[in-house]
């Protein structure tokens, strides 16, 4: 496709229309007249040969194509923003750059606060956007990372992309302190007998320790799957469920005295958390600076004693 033949000015209206699902609200948000935005929508419909928005009662719904486009428009606009935010000489103290990094709530909780503190010290006008990744984004790999500055993931999930190791962590189990079916320590019999809540449980999305439990022939009885590490206590308290959580996060969750942190009864594999990025960012001065901050924040995490 020849980009010279495309009206790239339609990208912003497309992004807002897909987010708002309303010509009226999108026009208000963009500061345009409703007829002007209706005209933009008509041109977009002709280009894609798809209605994009279809009426459902008093509201509009996205067509299947529009659902795909919604994620792509955000990535495209982020890429455009990075292009025009580039500076000949990067100076953190004066930069107004916005960095977007995808992550689960685990590194957001244990690493994000220190990274943002370092940014505040060195680059007070820089903004860090930490957004949730998804299995679909992880499966897309490098293609999905063209529009962001990086993704925080442990080794063993992504391959063939540049990365920097941030810190090493281990896995522990959390349980309700009042659970009477667990003794002084967790046993393999407990791990096979009691129900689990997993954070990720599919062919492409999993925790290393959870996959290891399956590989050694001790398939856990997964009763619930919730894609949030910070939400795990709510699915454990008052039940017999067990949950795998990273030690660095368990340090924070254990402030709730109703929770009990237990060692895994198998030789659990450690995880190495890393920042991954698209190769096009490798030599960007801004990105090199960002990676240095993440590495510094990771090195400052207290080790497990």
């Amino acid at each position: 496709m020849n980009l010279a033949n495309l009206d790239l000015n339609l990208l912003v209206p497309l992004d807002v229309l897909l987010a708002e699902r309303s010509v009226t609200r999108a026009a208000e948000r963009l500061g345009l007249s409703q007829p002007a935005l209706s005209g933009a929508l008509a041109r977009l419909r002709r280009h894609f040969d798809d209605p994009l928005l279809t009426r459902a009662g008093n509201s509009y719904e996205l067509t299947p194509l529009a659902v795909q486009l919604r994620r792509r428009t955000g990535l495209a606009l982020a890429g455009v923003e990075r292009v025009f935010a580039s500076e000949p000489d990067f100076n953190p103290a004066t930069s107004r750059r916005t960095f977007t990094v995808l992550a689960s709530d685990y590194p957001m909780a244990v690493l994000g606060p220190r990274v943002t503190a370092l940014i505040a010290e060195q680059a007070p006008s820089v903004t860090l956007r930490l957004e949730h990744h998804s299995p679909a984004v992880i499966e897309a790999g490098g293609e999905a990372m063209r529009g962001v500055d990086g993704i925080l993931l442990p080794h063993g999930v992504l391959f063939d992309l540049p990365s920097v190791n941030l810190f090493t962590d281990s896995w522990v189990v959390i349980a309700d302190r009042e659970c009477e079916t667990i003794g002084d320590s967790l046993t393999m019999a407990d791990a096979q007998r009691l129900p689990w809540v997993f954070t990720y449980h599919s062919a492409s999305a999993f925790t290393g320790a959870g996959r290891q439990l399956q590989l050694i022939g001790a398939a856990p009885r997964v009763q619930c799957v919730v894609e949030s590490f910070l939400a795990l206590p709510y699915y454990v308290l008052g039940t017999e469920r067990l949950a795998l959580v990273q030690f660095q996060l368990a340090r924070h969750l254990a402030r709730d005295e109703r929770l009990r942190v237990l060692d895994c009864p198998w030789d659990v594999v450690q995880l190495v958390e890393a920042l991954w990025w698209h190769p096009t960012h490798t030599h960007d001065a801004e990105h090199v600076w960002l990676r240095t901050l993440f590495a510094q924040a990771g090195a400052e995490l207290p080790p497990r004693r």
Side-chain angles (χ1 to χ4, degrees), residues 167-233:
F167 62 93
T168 300
D169 205 348
S170 57
W171 293 94
V172 292
V173 176
I174 58 172
D176 189 303
R177 189 172 294 278
E178 300 300 322
C179 181
E180 297 179 352
T181 58
I182 302 175
D184 293 336
S185 61
L186 191 69
T187 67
M188 283 301 297
D190 294 330
Q192 292 180 280
R193 174 177 53 86
L194 295 173
W196 287 81
V197 52
F198 267 31
T199 41
Y200 298 94
H201 189 51
S202 70
S204 60
F206 52 85
T207 61
R211 175 60 59 85
Q212 185 182 11
L213 194 56
Q214 296 170 311
L215 293 175
I216 62 177
R221 180 159 60 94
V222 180
Q223 194 174 73
C224 178
V225 179
V226 54
E227 292 186 359
S228 168
F229 292 103
L230 290 174
L232 286 176

Side-chain angles (χ1 to χ4, degrees), residues 237-258:
L237 291 172
T239 76
E240 290 187 331
R241 296 189 192 110
L242 306 173
L244 283 164
V245 69
Q246 304 86 345
F247 170 76
Q248 290 291 348
L249 185 56
R251 292 174 49 246
H252 299 280
L253 299 181
R255 293 170 184 168
D256 187 334
E257 296 182 352
R258 297 173 298 171

Side-chain angles (χ1 to χ4, degrees), residues 35-191:
L37 199 57
S38 294
L41 177 57
R43 295 172 63 191
L44 288 164
R45 283 170 165 167
R46 287 195 299 271
H47 172 80
F48 290 107
D49 192 22
D50 186 273
L52 301 178
L53 299 173
T54 57
R55 182 173 289 279
N58 295 324
S59 61
Y60 284 89
E61 293 182 351
L62 300 182
T63 65
L65 175 62
V67 172
Q68 297 179 38
L69 290 175
R70 185 173 181 186
R71 173 65 184 172
R72 294 175 183 175
T73 56
L75 293 174
L77 286 172
V80 170
E81 182 180 356
R82 283 203 312 278
V83 169
F84 286 96
S86 299
E87 304 170 7
D89 298 304
F90 178 64
N91 183 353
T94 59
S95 176
R96 305 184 68 86
R97 171 78 181 267
T98 295
F99 294 96
T100 301
V101 175
L102 306 181
S104 71
D105 53 3
Y106 154 58
M108 286 188 193
V110 304
L111 195 66
R114 182 53 185 154
V115 174
T116 54
L118 291 171
I119 289 176
E121 293 171 6
Q122 301 181 27
S125 295
V126 163
T127 300
L128 174 65
R129 292 180 58 89
L130 288 171
E131 299 183 355
H132 280 281
H133 60 52
S134 67
V137 169
I138 296 172
E139 288 173 5
E143 184 61 30
M145 290 170 60
R146 286 182 179 272
V148 297
D149 292 288
I151 185 169
L152 296 173
L153 280 173
H155 281 271
V157 181
L158 288 178
F159 303 94
D160 301 325
L161 287 171
S163 66
V164 59
N165 293 345
L166 304 180
F167 62 93
T168 300
D169 205 348
S170 57
W171 293 94
V172 292
V173 176
I174 58 172
D176 189 303
R177 189 172 294 278
E178 300 300 322
C179 181
E180 297 179 352
T181 58
I182 302 175
D184 293 336
S185 61
L186 191 69
T187 67
M188 283 301 297
D190 294 330

Side-chain angles (χ1 to χ4, degrees), residues 1-22:
M1 183 177 294
N2 187 351
L3 289 178
N5 296 329
L6 298 178
D7 185 354
L8 297 182
N9 290 320
L10 291 173
L11 186 58
V12 172
L14 174 62
D15 182 62
V16 177
L17 279 166
L18 298 182
E20 297 292 343
R21 304 186 187 192
S22 164

